[in-house]
Amino acid sequence: MTPLAPVSRAARLLLGIGFFVVFVAAWAAITYGGMVPPLFLASPGATLVAGWSLFTEFNFIGDIAITVFRVVCGFLIAAAIAVPVGLAMGAFKSVEAFLEPFVSFARYLPASAFIPLLILWAGVDEAQKLAVIFIGSVFQIIIMVAVIAAATRRDLVEAASTLGARSWGVVFRVIIPSAAPQVAETLRLVLGWAWTYVIVAELIGAQSGIGHMIMDSQRLLDTGQMIFGIVMIGLIGLVTDVLVKALNRRLFPWAVI
Amino acid sequence: MSDKTLHIQGVTRSFGDMLALQPVDLTVAPGEFVAVLGPSGCGKSTLLRIVAGLDRPTAGTVALDATPVTGPGPERGMVFQSYTLFPWLTVEQNIRFGLREAGRPEAEQREIAARFIARTGLTGFENHWPKQLSGGMQQRCALARALANDPEMLLLDEPFGALDHQTRELMQELLLEIWEADRKTVLFVTHDIDEAVFLASRVLVISARPGRIKAEVPVPLPYPRDWTVKTSPEFAALKARLMADIREEVRRSAEA
Ligand SMILES: Nc1ncnc2c1ncn2[C@@H]1O[C@H](COP(=O)(O)OP(=O)(O)O)[C@@H](O)[C@H]1O
Ligand SMILES: [Mg+2]
């Protein structure tokens, strides 16, 4: 193995799948081998059976749909506010001076710590779930977008101004397009985090969703269902990630060639 | 053809308590090609950036005719040593950038861009991203982008400094051809003596830091020039004279 030497596409795919195989094999070995009791860890087969019954008997599709809806809505609201604010902070030092200290403070507030307060304010309906995701995402996006925008190449800004661009021309036709691919990458990253917030929100005071299903299964001591729920979250995350990556490559061909 | 005169009066610049530029006085007539020659770190870029309006002088004034320079503007086009094409725009869109900022109609933007694409030899590369171009092509595009604005003057800061020797000579010939046709005022910063003599009608030698105009050498070689002048005795004599000046400054800046 040569350091930093690239590997072929096929080898990459094979190695990637390889680890899943190793992982499942180890899981099968310790469960079928009787090293852990089924009550604590269901075997791969039992997990699949539990998953089947989740879909056929417990309307798991409905849970998935509501969870996806919460993540996407909460995340989109956060992004719609955070991206413009972050760009403004990155582009204008006075806005940065005004907001940066507060945002830096706020982004260390754990979203899950707000759940009791949010239940008090918004009850246990959708608004509370969206609020958890919103709080968890908005400050992270603001800070990261601000850093990206502030790092716009100075020589490009200078070139634009010698070509006649004024302040708004520089913001809209240099800072924003130059930041766009990295902002898209940031959104992809934070969307992943939003998934963890929604599950936490659903573990407490929810009547639906993947998190709620996992809580219910715990009450019934059904580790198969619990594990299936967790695996499902991972799969949805992986698929979204791949789709968003592909979308970014299409949107910003100039950044990847 | 340019018709405005550049007046630089008593321009100095210090960074903190480090003096980068001693008082510089300079007048550049319309259509002149002036090379600013000096060792690295002597303040050439500083002077050019002040003329561009990207930097402010600590003292002194810059004016184009009677209009003082207070900031960057499209009438003073600039080409930088670093590659500054906008990576998210194609070659053609890069060249249209200034026209778009000026709110010119799209059809006109396209027509002007097409003209400069042809003049700078970029035909066939209109829809390429900057990343797909060689360094020489990127600088041709940067030149086309500055020219598309039809500026009063061109400010060039070692625009060919990062290119290999052969590409550099081709670029010099291209620039000369464009200048001979348009006669736009050019202020060209370089540390390359051959480049200065080949291109300019007047060479200013800048002293080691803090920079000042140490010598002013007219280049009486007639235009249009082609590469053969580089082998003429007049060229060699000018080069010898400038080399003596520059060597002394390089030595001083190495000791400083
Ligand atoms: N923004 C700046 N802040 C501090 N020092 C600077 C700055 N710009 C240039 N200098 C200094 O001024 C001197 C002249 O720089 P410059 O004009 O870039 O030289 P040249 O282009 O001739 O190589 C150098 O010593 C450089 O380090
Ligand atoms: Mg320089």
Side-chain angles (χ1 to χ4, degrees), chain B residues 120-131:
Chain B
T120 51
L122 289 168
T123 309
F125 293 92
E126 293 87 343
N127 298 318
H128 280 52
W129 302 113
K131 271 196 162 185

Side-chain angles (χ1 to χ4, degrees), chain B residues 23 53 59 79 81 111 124 129 132 145 148 150 153 183 190 193-195 199 201 219 228 233 247:
Chain B
V79 178
Q81 176 174 5
E111 183 262 315
W129 302 113
Q132 298 170 296
R145 183 175 70 172
D150 193 21
M153 62 182 312
R183 295 282 167 153
T190 182
I193 298 173
D194 282 64
E195 186 167 73
L199 294 172
S201 50
V219 181
T228 53
R247 281 177 64 86

Side-chain angles (χ1 to χ4, degrees), chain B residues 5-11 21-29 32-37 44 47-48 51 61-65 153 155 185-189 202-206 212-217:
Chain B
T5 306
L6 176 73
H7 303 279
I8 299 175
Q9 275 167 350
V11 162
L21 216 54
Q22 295 187 52
V24 170
D25 293 290
L26 174 65
T27 303
V28 180
E32 248 195 301
F33 196 130
V34 174
V36 177
L37 179 68
K44 306 181 297 291
L47 178 63
L48 204 69
V51 175
T61 57
V62 177
L64 208 50
D65 271 358
M153 62 182 312
L155 307 172
T185 316
V186 172
L187 206 52
F188 188 102
V189 161
R202 180 154 62 115
V203 178
L204 305 175
V205 179
I206 308 289
R212 67 184 165 78
I213 298 177
K214 173 188 160 145
E216 204 181 304
V217 181

Side-chain angles (χ1 to χ4, degrees), chain B residues 13 15-16 18-20 38-47 49 55 157-158 189 209:
Chain B
R13 180 70 166 103
F15 296 103
M18 193 269 282
L19 186 61
S40 168
C42 71
K44 306 181 297 291
S45 294
T46 303
L47 178 63
R49 289 172 58 80
D55 193 4
D157 190 358
E158 308 200 34
V189 161
R209 203 184 78 211

Side-chain angles (χ1 to χ4, degrees), chain B residues 60-90:
Chain B
T61 57
V62 177
L64 208 50
D65 271 358
T67 317
V69 166
T70 54
E75 75 288 356
R76 281 157 291 128
M78 180 135 175
V79 178
F80 301 78
Q81 176 174 5
S82 65
Y83 300 126
T84 59
L85 295 181
F86 304 113
W88 55 89
L89 299 180
T90 62

Side-chain angles (χ1 to χ4, degrees), chain B residues 92 96 99-100 103-113:
Chain B
E92 200 250 2
R96 279 164 51 193
L99 300 166
R100 209 187 129 175
R104 305 276 280 273
E106 174 136 355
E108 195 184 320
Q109 293 178 26
R110 288 191 181 282
E111 183 262 315
I112 294 171

